[in-house]
Amino acid sequence: MKPIRKAVIPVAGLGTRFLPATKAMPKEMLTVVDRPVIQHVVDEARKAGIEHVVFVTGRNKNVIEDHFDRQYELEDTLKSRGKVKELAALEADTPGAGATSFTRQQAPLGLGHAVWCARDIIGNEPFALLLPDMLHLGETAFLGDMIEAYGQTGGNLIGVYPVADEETHQYGIVDVAGSAEKVAKIARMVEKPARGTAPSNLAISGRYILQPTIFGLLSRQERGAGGEIQLTDSMLTLARSEPFHAVRFDGQVYDTGSKLGFLAANVAYALANPELGKDFRMILKSLAG
Ligand code: UTP
């Protein structure tokens, strides 16, 4: 079984739900506490042992490339001012030379198309896919749990988390045929089921491990819901010939692509922050009270 060495992070979406904040700045650079959203996601990938991150970018996204580059002037200034801690933190956050690639999705034709844009850089090996909007706050790096599960199951895996029954129509839903196991074979997948028809309340969390056979299906460029090239459509076709397992995340998932999710993420990450948590809790209490 080939190991999971590379991860794709698509960042070419327009972020229309966050206008005007995203007019000139990518939504992935909005900060949750003191780190851009995208840094939280790259941290998760690196903790999970990913060696190479492929960013699928679009117009207005150059700042993401700069963010993951070294900033020599800044490093020199920190050094000369004796800011050893800040310098070490910057170094730790920056992937090493040759550990990132950037490719362009020239038009936002959908998530499936964005993933397909990474095909030549991924080549013929299984890879991880992380949707940068979705932050997973838990004890461990969730992608690491998924890679561990992959060691047992092989094939394709999808991260899932329970959502309220009345919200299932907003998500991609998977059915694990009644299994209560953390890792379970997927019996059915359905994208945004009509209200009251969802086969379960397990929503796709934005973390995947996929076999490179997905690229062959994506290359058909078939348009799905909303006229976009949908990843789910190709996964549904792939599921006819290859196994798919769900891995349940037991922490909290925040969709930072929505305003409420973004605000909730800031509160949750600030409360969990060892330096800020205690004082922030007091502030929250007085604000809410
Ligand atoms: P979303 O639909 O949540 O992102 O796509 P969006 O289009 O940027 O947001 P809104 O709805 O306009 O506010 C999920 C992920 O897929 C990427 C996005 O960047 C996001 O990380 N994506 C989506 C692409 O890279 N390309 C696309 O064509 C579509």
Side-chain angles (χ1 to χ4, degrees):
M1 201 192 294
K2 285 188 184 170
I4 310 297
R5 299 188 312 116
K6 297 180 189 168
V8 175
I9 305 187
V11 291
L14 298 179
T16 53
R17 283 171 293 167
F18 250 108
L19 284 168
T22 49
K23 194 174 162 201
M25 186 181 65
K27 65 174 172 181
E28 297 80 7
M29 290 302 292
L30 297 174
T31 52
V32 168
V33 187
D34 55 357
R35 306 167 85 65
V37 167
I38 189 80
Q39 179 80 58
H40 286 282
V41 177
V42 168
D43 292 347
E44 180 189 337
R46 293 177 72 208
K47 273 190 205 142
I50 293 295
E51 295 166 17
H52 192 115
V53 178
V54 183
F55 296 91
V56 181
T57 73
R59 267 181 289 282
N60 270 349
K61 305 280 178 163
N62 292 343
V63 65
I64 296 177
E65 196 163 342
D66 290 341
H67 178 78
F68 289 107
D69 197 1
R70 293 187 62 176
Q71 304 282 359
Y72 288 104
E73 276 179 18
L74 176 62
E75 287 175 19
D76 267 1
T77 309
L78 290 176
K79 221 176 273 171
S80 66
R81 292 186 186 170
K83 299 212 174 240
V84 183
K85 211 174 121 203
E86 288 80 355
L87 191 61
L90 271 193
E91 272 180 18
D93 288 344
T94 310
T100 50
S101 295
F102 295 83
T103 186
R104 281 263 178 143
Q105 184 191 26
Q106 288 139 332
L109 300 181
L111 176 60
H113 183 260
V115 173
W116 178 75
C117 289
R119 67 199 179 280
D120 284 345
I121 306 174
I122 296 296
N124 191 28
E125 52 181 280
F127 62 99
L129 168 65
L130 300 98
L131 302 195
D133 289 354
M134 306 300 281
L135 290 189
H136 292 61
L137 180 59
E139 302 281 300
T140 51
F142 183 46
L143 185 65
D145 297 352
M146 289 183 62
I147 290 177
E148 208 181 303
Y150 173 77
Q152 307 295 317
T153 63
N156 303 271
L157 289 99
I158 300 183
V160 298
Y161 68 112
V163 296
D165 287 339
E166 56 278 12
E167 288 174 9
T168 48
H169 64 283
Q170 301 170 28
Y171 300 94
I173 298 290
V174 307
D175 181 14
V176 292
S179 169
E181 300 291 311
K182 185 175 166 70
V183 182
K185 200 158 195 293
I186 295 180
R188 233 180 112 196
M189 273 187 260
V190 36
E191 185 63 34
K192 299 198 175 85
R195 275 176 199 274
T197 65
S200 86
N201 70 340
L202 292 177
I204 295 179
S205 80
R207 300 290 182 271
Y208 310 78
I209 289 174
L210 295 168
Q211 296 298 318
T213 30
I214 194 86
F215 293 124
L217 297 167
L218 290 171
S219 69
R220 296 181 193 163
Q221 312 264 313
E222 282 165 11
R223 305 284 176 139
E228 294 194 344
I229 299 167
Q230 300 282 357
L231 177 68
T232 311
D233 292 343
S234 290
M235 288 198 307
L236 283 168
T237 309
L238 190 57
R240 288 188 213 136
S241 55
E242 291 186 15
F244 268 78
H245 283 83
V247 185
R248 199 185 57 238
F249 180 58
D250 293 321
Q252 291 299 313
V253 178
Y254 298 96
D255 177 3
T256 64
S258 80
K259 286 176 197 165
L260 275 178
F262 176 78
L263 293 171
N266 264 293
V267 172
Y269 277 74
L271 287 173
N273 185 298
E275 277 169 30
L276 305 173
K278 212 166 141 230
D279 292 343
F280 185 60
R281 190 174 298 274
M282 307 265 280
I283 294 172
L284 264 190
K285 267 191 188 155
S286 75
L287 284 175

